[in-house]
Amino acid sequence: MSKQKPQRTEAEARDKRHTLGTWCRQRDFDPTEIVDTEEFRFVTAEGDSILDFSSQLVCTSLGYDAQRVKDAVSESIQEIPYTQPGNSTRYRGELAEKLAEITPGTLNRTFFSTSGTEANEAAFKIARSYTGKEKIMSRYRSYHGATAASLSASGDPRRTAVSSSVQPDVPGMVKAPDPYAYGSSLDPDESLEYIDEQLMLEGGTVAAVLVEPLVGSNGVLTPPDDYLPRLAEIVHDHDALLICDEVMTGFGRTGEWFASDLYDVEPDIITMAKGLTGSYQPLAGTIVKEEIAEHFDDTLLNHGHTFSGHPVACAAGSAAIETYREEGLVENAGEIGAYLRSELEGLVERHPSAGERRGIGLHQGIELTRDPDKRVPFEERIDKVSGRTTVVDEVGARAYDNGVYFYTSMNTVVITPPLGVGEAEVDEAVSALDDALEHSDGKMLG
Ligand SMILES: Cc1ncc(COP(=O)(O)O)c(C=O)c1O
């Protein structure tokens, strides 16, 4: 997300010398030094104040000034900087109780970890033990994390980039198609029938089907309204569990606490991270229905981490939930999301390269195209990891030069601001994107 810099700061140079950067060839690792933050903006060492319309990695949903969370971190670290997960603290119990309140239905008990990928790994073990079955089915256009099983469950090009004899997929993973009407030859209904058929053909060996209710980094895909309820039915007809990965969509992003709520679906397991603490502390959770939790009353839960239920992280999580509640952020995401949506529709009308707007609430995206009639993408999915500069990245860079940060991925500009933004911030961001889309318009065919 960096501008061309005249030269590296001392911190950037030292960082580059001694750090291995994420998801890139190290030649391309060029981190920007952030020296300050204010409400919805971050400030670079160059003195640029950038409006963050991505919430970093779709995670700083509270913006940067959630004082209650900052205070909870300072107080809890003074009181109990750490205790091992076999001990109890008021922080963990309080947070777990709040999660049981805000998640759908009878989801009740949470296993805590520190990242979204770990939340999914825990879900796989739990589902396998509970069902006595081995396989996990997930979809191609998905990202579930970087560790072995979660990456194997992902369809993201980051998986295929490492799938080889050096780093093979873990066994027991089955891939299914996605509800992606814009860019796939299968329509969403057909994709559901396909999943039904696959579950039958797998002969009762699938423990769980894992989906992002609204796909995030693989293109902000919004399914038809009846998709998730029908998927839940199909999955349960085959005696499998439904795991909803709400690492990105949880904690109000779509205008509901969880995207599953949009469709009145009660998943058997929800995985969460990112917005759980507004990302003020690394914390993730795998919440399960009470009947699944009870399976482990007499069966070993063969899983754990040193940092599971870390008191400081749990204190941050509790304070984050109080902040979402007291500031009405979930409701705001729905209301301001409607305004953002209509402004983005305006961009799609004005810019021929803006192919389709998708999303709900403050989980929005615009997919770019070379040719709106034939829906030709600018780049292939694999270009996410090829090291090539893509048109969507150039659009993101121009918006950044205009003072607004958007995450860009595989032909899609992801538009996911903190939940407290108002119309003024939306107007500023849309104007920056309006200008940046001139770039992709200029790169179209003919
Ligand atoms: C839907 C989804 N699941 C899982 C993950 C992995 O989370 P983490 O990076 O915290 O391991 C991500 C990360 O972006 C995600 O978007």
Side-chain angles (χ1 to χ4, degrees):
M1 65 182 183
S2 54
K3 272 185 176 177
Q4 281 295 27
K5 301 180 210 113
Q7 63 182 57
R8 290 200 175 102
T9 66
E10 208 181 306
E12 288 164 354
R14 193 182 305 117
D15 197 10
K16 181 156 171 75
R17 264 199 312 277
H18 296 293
T19 306
L20 284 170
T22 57
W23 303 115
C24 65
R25 286 156 189 81
Q26 298 306 302
R27 194 187 337 100
D28 301 330
F29 178 49
D30 195 13
T32 297
E33 185 183 353
I34 305 302
V35 291
D36 203 2
T37 55
E38 48 192 42
E39 205 178 17
F40 307 125
R41 292 166 206 270
F42 56 88
V43 180
T44 69
E46 299 263 290
D48 295 317
S49 174
I50 306 288
L51 177 63
D52 184 351
F53 248 56
S54 169
S55 305
Q56 296 293 316
L57 296 177
V58 198
C59 60
T60 51
S61 301
L62 299 170
Y64 297 107
D65 279 346
Q67 196 55 45
R68 185 193 289 268
V69 185
K70 293 181 186 180
D71 290 345
V73 168
S74 327
E75 283 160 24
S76 58
I77 208 166
Q78 292 299 332
E79 212 174 290
I80 314 171
Y82 174 78
T83 188
Q84 64 114 324
N87 294 329
S88 179
T89 64
R90 69 184 172 94
Y91 301 115
R92 188 174 64 188
E94 257 174 43
L95 174 59
E97 185 178 66
K98 287 188 177 117
L99 291 174
E101 282 164 16
I102 62 172
T103 48
T106 62
L107 288 162
N108 189 39
R109 284 199 247 172
T110 302
F111 174 85
F112 288 107
S113 53
T114 51
S115 60
T117 195
E118 287 171 298
N120 285 323
E121 299 267 349
F124 302 157
K125 274 196 187 175
I126 289 171
R128 284 171 168 151
S129 173
Y130 178 73
T131 60
K133 302 179 193 186
E134 171 207 335
K135 291 181 192 153
I136 304 294
M137 181 182 282
S138 55
R139 298 180 309 201
Y140 279 101
R141 292 180 174 86
S142 67
Y143 181 66
H144 298 294
T147 53
S150 299
L151 191 61
S152 302
S154 305
D156 191 285
R158 284 173 278 186
R159 172 181 67 93
T160 41
V162 296
S163 288
S164 65
S165 55
V166 189
Q167 195 129 265
D169 284 351
V170 302
M173 297 291 172
V174 183
K175 286 286 175 318
D178 323 86
Y180 178 42
Y182 187 79
S184 154
S185 54
L186 274 185
D187 75 28
D189 284 344
E190 286 168 333
S191 78
L192 274 173
E193 282 167 29
Y194 199 102
I195 289 175
D196 193 13
E197 182 89 352
Q198 276 185 292
L199 284 167
M200 183 271 290
L201 292 170
E202 291 293 337
T205 58
V206 174
V209 175
L210 165 73
V211 295
E212 296 168 74
L214 263 74
V215 170
S217 52
N218 276 244
V220 188
L221 310 184
T222 325
D225 286 348
D226 63 349
Y227 177 92
L228 200 65
R230 284 189 54 212
L231 178 69
E233 263 172 41
I234 292 169
V235 168
H236 291 146
D237 282 350
H238 291 277
D239 294 324
L241 302 182
L242 178 67
I243 306 173
C244 281
D245 176 341
E246 297 240 23
V247 168
M248 234 183 221
T249 50
F251 300 94
R253 177 136 303 280
T254 64
E256 296 283 349
W257 275 106
F258 291 89
S260 312
D261 295 319
L262 290 167
Y263 308 106
D264 277 331
V265 165
E266 182 188 350
D268 301 293
I269 302 178
I270 288 182
T271 57
M272 60 186 83
K274 298 190 187 259
L276 171 52
T277 62
S279 299
Y280 284 48
Q281 287 286 295
L283 184 67
T286 305
I287 189 165
V288 305
K289 279 184 176 168
E290 181 56 22
E291 69 197 61
I292 299 177
E294 281 168 9
H295 160 78
F296 293 98
D297 286 347
D298 296 312
T299 302
L300 175 68
L301 177 62
N302 199 16
H303 199 54
H305 305 288
T306 302
F307 296 142
S308 179
H310 194 291
V312 179
C314 287
S318 251
I321 292 175
E322 282 163 25
T323 307
Y324 288 115
R325 278 179 167 154
E326 289 195 1
E327 295 186 8
L329 292 175
V330 180
E331 295 75 17
N332 193 62
E335 282 158 26
I336 202 71
Y339 178 68
L340 172 63
R341 175 188 175 132
S342 71
E343 294 300 295
L344 296 178
E345 292 291 359
L347 291 186
V348 172
E349 270 168 37
R350 282 200 292 286
H351 293 278
S353 65
E356 185 177 61
R357 179 216 59 84
R358 292 188 288 268
I360 297 179
L362 289 179
H363 186 79
Q364 298 283 332
I366 291 182
E367 178 163 345
L368 305 184
T369 178
R370 266 181 205 287
D371 177 343
D373 296 329
K374 298 199 181 114
R375 300 180 177 180
V376 182
F378 277 105
E379 266 91 22
E380 300 306 319
R381 285 165 55 77
I382 197 69
D383 283 323
K384 184 179 173 98
V385 287
S386 68
R388 284 185 46 214
T389 304
T390 61
V391 171
V392 75
D393 287 344
E394 287 168 347
V395 167
R398 181 145 151 189
Y400 192 91
D401 285 344
N402 293 337
V404 183
Y405 171 52
F406 298 98
Y407 171 59
T408 52
S409 173
M410 289 181 282
N411 297 298
T412 301
V413 182
V414 178
I415 303 142
T416 50
L419 307 194
V421 293
E423 290 189 9
E425 285 84 21
V426 169
D427 292 345
E428 188 179 335
V430 168
S431 152
L433 188 55
D434 197 1
D435 172 75
L437 289 169
E438 302 280 342
H439 177 76
S440 44
D441 289 347
K443 294 269 178 176
M444 293 176 72
L445 295 176

